[in-house]
Amino acid sequence: MLRPLLLLGISLNLTLLGADKPERPNILWITSEDNSAHWIGCYGNEQAKTPRIDALADEGHLFLHAYSNAPVCAVARSTILNGAYAVTQGTQHMRSRHPIPERFKSYVSYLRGQGYYCTNRSKTDFNFKGDDRAIWDECSGKAHYKNRAEGQPFMAVFNLTVSHESSLFPNKRGKEPRRLAASEVDVPPYLPDLPEVRKDIAAYHDKITTMDGQVGELLDELEKAGLAEDTIVFYYSDHGGVTPRGKRYIKETGVRVPMVVHVPSKWGHLTPFKRGGKVDEPVAFVDLAPTLLSLIGLEKPDAMQGRAFLGEHREAAPEDDMVFLYADRFDELYGMRRGITDGRWKYIRRFTPQLAAAPYSFYQFSMPSWVAYRKAWQDGELDGVHKAMWEAPQVEEELFDLKSDPWEVRNLAADPAHAERLVAMRSRLKGKMTEVKDTGLVPEPMWAALAGGKPITDFVRSSGFDFQGVLDLAFLASRADLGEVGALMEFASSDDPVKRYWALQGLQIAGQKAGLEAILTGLRDEHSVNRVTAAEALCRMGKEKEGRAAMLKELMSETHEYSLQYLINALMRVDAIDDIPEAWVNETLKDRKAGAYVKRFAERIKSGEL
């Protein structure tokens, strides 16, 4: 009897001696800001100096086709946090705080439920109603896994801000450039070869090298703490950027991100990929939460839409796997784009093709390259793709072969040789929008009225909303087809305000006084966004006096934040900003209840920036 008891004692002692070793892996997420994959050395940039990330890739997995589903931070974070598409949750509009259904729960809640110590240093801005910091054990500029209980597994996020687009703003960029001369840098063909563009590229290489050093410091700290063999490390950027046509664009430069994952030998059974290899299968931010849960042995909850690409519950990538991309309102400016890609072929659909492809935000115009790019266009110095970006209308469809055209400068949508692929990818996008119940089909200014303060996703999924009918109409409306004016006019009198919206959009896009009777009726619509859309259509049809008068009447009576944003967007597009009364500007600046973006508009109007 003594021998079994002795063996039991030895076993217990061994267990206690190993109590500080986690039974499940620690997870370290290192994120950088605003740098697309092409800025990193291991992704083929020979001018980059990123030795620590490159070394991590040599010992880990480099994902060749990793994507942020959205090309801007808050929208991307909401996708990551809950493992669900922002357009499903209703979190696709930049810095919005709309409510979301309780079924969407953060990966943090699942990990903490399993005893993990979860820290975030320190970006939040999760883009939905709630307390962003409350979900973490620690969330601050000092949050760190070292503060956990002894032996407690951790999941720690470190967000590196040195590569943010603002790092190229004159008041933040510091000495420049230090490593590469502006004359030496490679200028990709989607950008005009301007001195300011070259200088920003050279300066950003320095920022990337600094960021790489910070990645190294975090890895060294992990090693010094004796935790490297117990910790799975992810490095990725929060979306693309940073020079023009990067951030806020669903081109590769805006959404294709570097992603390197290092899985120590101890946890090698959790990955099917070869160490030091390159992974071809597409992955996206919507996949991160399910993957994280899979790495600690949990199955994906029903509300998560992504795919676990590592761990015990890994799902193999479908043979025809496609990443879903989306872009809607960024800061003050509205616009709706969707896309899909498998890493080789990319299809982009503009649902508001009457708008130019630049700008999608005013924030970027503190960057010298953006300012110079705009001035070169204004001065008539650009042609080809460089000029087209600033022109309206845009083509509603784009198709790119990323293998032969990685910078996406040759649109194949009108090429008969690719007609079959175009139709297939258009259908695939439409199917994906149906699958995820894309809430972007409902204009944001209508959300409060239609959803009654509840999540917009519940309204879109309700039996009272004709999702498929609205989706079909949105595709029809964005085609600029004069042959469809009759159908659009019928929808303009629909009982459904969302269908009326898309019908009026379609009539505006078609132009040439198409559907004038329906547009005049739209001026009396119950929803401001429809009245404004009708007024803008009048302006585009040569009836500027009537259209502007209707918009200014709307301005003096409307108080809803998103309706006002939409209205000022329209006033800008028809060059009617000078018509806005000074009294309205001054009152808006004094109004404590005015929305932040509406106030920004007022500030820009007052300063003459619009």
Side-chain angles (χ1 to χ4, degrees):
M1 291 295 293
L2 289 176
R3 185 173 180 81
L5 287 173
L6 179 62
L7 292 174
L8 178 59
I10 292 172
S11 176
L12 287 171
N13 286 332
L14 289 174
T15 301
L16 290 171
L17 286 171
D20 61 333
K21 297 295 184 181
E23 297 177 22
R24 288 167 293 183
N26 302 315
I27 310 290
L28 175 63
W29 278 8
I30 305 173
T31 70
S32 57
E33 294 194 311
D34 294 6
N35 57 288
S36 46
H38 76 274
W39 288 102
I40 307 298
C42 55
Y43 280 87
N45 191 325
E46 296 180 358
Q47 293 190 317
K49 186 178 180 182
T50 52
R52 297 307 301 267
I53 296 173
D54 298 348
L56 190 68
D58 287 342
E59 293 296 320
H61 311 316
L62 185 150
F63 288 83
L64 292 171
H65 308 297
Y67 289 91
S68 171
N69 298 97
V72 74
C73 58
V75 183
R77 284 193 202 104
S78 72
T79 301
I80 293 172
L81 186 72
N82 295 334
Y85 297 111
V87 296
T88 297
Q89 300 179 73
T91 59
Q92 68 268 35
H93 298 293
M94 180 63 177
R95 294 218 165 89
S96 59
R97 286 290 179 177
H98 301 295
I100 65 172
E102 290 185 2
R103 65 179 177 274
F104 295 116
K105 297 185 185 299
S106 72
Y107 68 77
V108 185
S109 65
Y110 293 101
L111 266 71
R112 290 183 72 184
Q114 294 295 309
Y116 272 73
Y117 189 75
C118 296
T119 68
N120 178 31
R121 196 169 84 184
S122 59
K123 283 295 186 81
T124 51
D125 213 359
F126 294 136
N127 226 40
F128 55 85
K129 189 175 181 180
D131 184 347
D132 294 351
R133 297 184 181 277
I135 67 174
W136 304 88
D137 288 295
E138 276 190 272
C139 183
S140 73
K142 296 182 178 180
H144 202 288
Y145 56 80
K146 66 183 179 183
N147 298 324
R148 73 197 189 283
E150 185 177 354
Q152 185 179 12
F154 67 82
M155 192 281 165
V157 178
F158 288 85
N159 188 265
L160 306 179
T161 62
V162 67
S163 56
H164 188 265
E165 68 179 319
S166 62
S167 68
L168 293 184
F169 294 0
N171 63 331
K172 293 186 178 181
R173 61 197 299 155
K175 296 179 181 179
E176 58 173 302
R178 298 188 299 272
R179 190 169 61 82
L180 293 170
S183 59
E184 297 176 311
V185 301
D186 295 328
V187 179
Y190 70 90
L191 287 176
D193 193 344
L194 302 171
E196 295 84 355
V197 170
R198 285 185 165 274
K199 198 170 183 180
D200 276 357
I201 291 174
Y204 199 62
H205 272 298
D206 288 341
K207 303 296 183 184
I208 291 295
T209 298
T210 300
M211 179 273 290
D212 180 80
Q214 293 176 351
V215 170
E217 290 172 5
L218 291 169
L219 296 176
D220 290 344
E221 183 179 37
L222 190 74
E223 183 76 37
K224 187 176 179 180
L227 295 168
E229 285 303 309
D230 293 316
T231 306
I232 296 173
V233 177
F234 287 68
Y235 161 71
Y236 60 91
S237 67
D238 65 347
H239 48 72
V242 68
T243 47
R245 211 208 70 173
K247 186 174 181 177
R248 303 178 186 89
Y249 290 80
I250 55 176
K251 297 294 200 298
E252 295 290 279
T253 45
V255 291
R256 182 171 172 246
V257 298
M259 184 178 290
V260 177
V261 180
H262 180 262
V263 181
S265 299
K266 178 177 179 177
W267 304 104
H269 62 283
L270 296 176
T271 176
F273 306 120
K274 181 181 177 182
R275 176 171 290 194
K278 296 180 179 180
V279 181
D280 278 324
E281 63 182 47
V283 297
F285 280 2
V286 75
D287 301 323
L288 284 175
T291 298
L292 183 57
L293 299 190
S294 178
L295 286 171
I296 70 167
L298 298 182
E299 294 188 23
K300 178 178 73 174
D302 290 341
M304 288 189 178
Q305 297 169 302
R307 172 182 70 86
F309 55 84
L310 296 170
E312 294 179 22
H313 302 286
R314 165 180 157 79
E315 300 173 57
E319 191 172 328
D320 60 348
D321 199 18
M322 291 270 183
V323 170
F324 179 43
L325 308 168
Y326 36 81
D328 291 85
R329 174 178 59 75
F330 295 145
D331 298 335
E332 299 97 323
L333 301 183
Y334 278 101
M336 180 179 173
R337 291 153 285 146
R338 297 291 182 266
I340 53 170
T341 183
D342 60 2
R344 164 70 190 277
W345 296 96
K346 165 86 75 67
Y347 172 80
I348 294 174
R349 180 82 181 200
R350 290 187 176 89
F351 288 90
T352 46
Q354 74 274 27
L355 312 183
Y360 289 136
S361 170
F362 295 119
Y363 182 74
Q364 63 211 27
F365 288 116
S366 290
M367 190 184 300
S369 54
W370 264 113
V371 175
Y373 192 0
R374 178 175 59 182
K375 187 176 187 304
W377 168 67
Q378 291 170 335
D379 292 346
E381 298 173 357
L382 303 177
D383 55 21
V385 295
H386 303 145
K387 177 184 178 183
M389 182 169 161
W390 301 89
E391 306 279 293
Q394 294 281 303
V395 294
E396 74 271 20
E397 290 185 307
E398 291 179 310
L399 178 68
F400 298 105
D401 179 355
L402 301 175
K403 183 177 181 180
S404 63
D405 179 26
W407 298 113
E408 294 162 292
V409 294
R410 296 190 299 276
N411 181 12
L412 303 174
D415 186 340
H418 296 282
E420 186 175 342
R421 186 179 300 279
L422 179 73
V423 171
M425 293 194 76
R426 181 194 302 142
S427 176
R428 184 72 179 269
L429 175 66
K430 199 171 185 180
K432 189 65 177 182
M433 293 175 70
T434 300
E435 174 194 329
V436 305
K437 291 296 181 286
D438 193 325
T439 59
L441 292 174
V442 182
E444 189 182 24
M446 283 187 189
W447 284 18
L450 297 183
K454 296 180 180 179
I456 189 64
T457 187
D458 290 347
F459 169 78
V460 166
R461 290 170 179 266
S462 70
S463 59
F465 183 68
D466 180 12
F467 184 91
Q468 200 61 51
V470 171
L471 180 64
D472 291 342
L473 179 55
F475 271 82
L476 174 69
S478 56
R479 274 171 41 189
D481 187 348
L482 286 172
E484 302 292 350
V485 167
L488 292 171
M489 287 184 67
E490 286 188 28
F491 283 115
S493 60
S494 170
D495 292 336
D496 185 340
V498 182
K499 288 182 178 177
R500 296 199 301 272
Y501 166 80
W502 282 109
L504 290 166
Q505 281 278 8
L507 292 171
Q508 179 190 152
I509 292 165
Q512 301 183 24
K513 297 187 178 180
L516 181 58
E517 181 181 343
I519 288 167
L520 291 172
T521 300
L523 293 176
R524 301 188 298 274
D525 197 277
E526 64 179 310
H527 289 274
S528 173
V529 65
N530 287 349
R531 296 192 296 269
V532 172
T533 302
E536 185 177 358
L538 282 181
C539 292
R540 294 182 183 278
M541 294 176 181
K543 295 185 175 292
E544 289 91 350
K545 182 178 179 180
E546 296 91 333
R548 289 188 180 199
M551 287 189 195
L552 290 173
K553 179 182 177 182
E554 196 75 25
L555 183 72
M556 302 311 293
S557 61
E558 183 58 63
T559 59
H560 185 267
E561 177 182 1
Y562 297 117
S563 294
L564 280 172
Q565 283 180 231
Y566 186 90
L567 170 58
I568 300 172
N569 273 247
L571 286 165
M572 284 192 305
R573 292 194 292 261
V574 299
D575 296 322
I577 289 297
D578 290 343
D579 295 347
I580 296 177
E582 185 178 357
W584 181 89
V585 174
N586 292 333
E587 286 299 317
T588 299
L589 290 174
K590 291 188 294 184
D591 185 0
R592 293 183 179 180
K593 295 182 179 180
Y597 287 136
V598 173
K599 281 199 170 185
R600 282 196 197 178
F601 270 129
E603 289 166 357
R604 288 191 172 97
I605 294 168
K606 192 172 184 68
S607 66
E609 293 180 34
L610 288 185

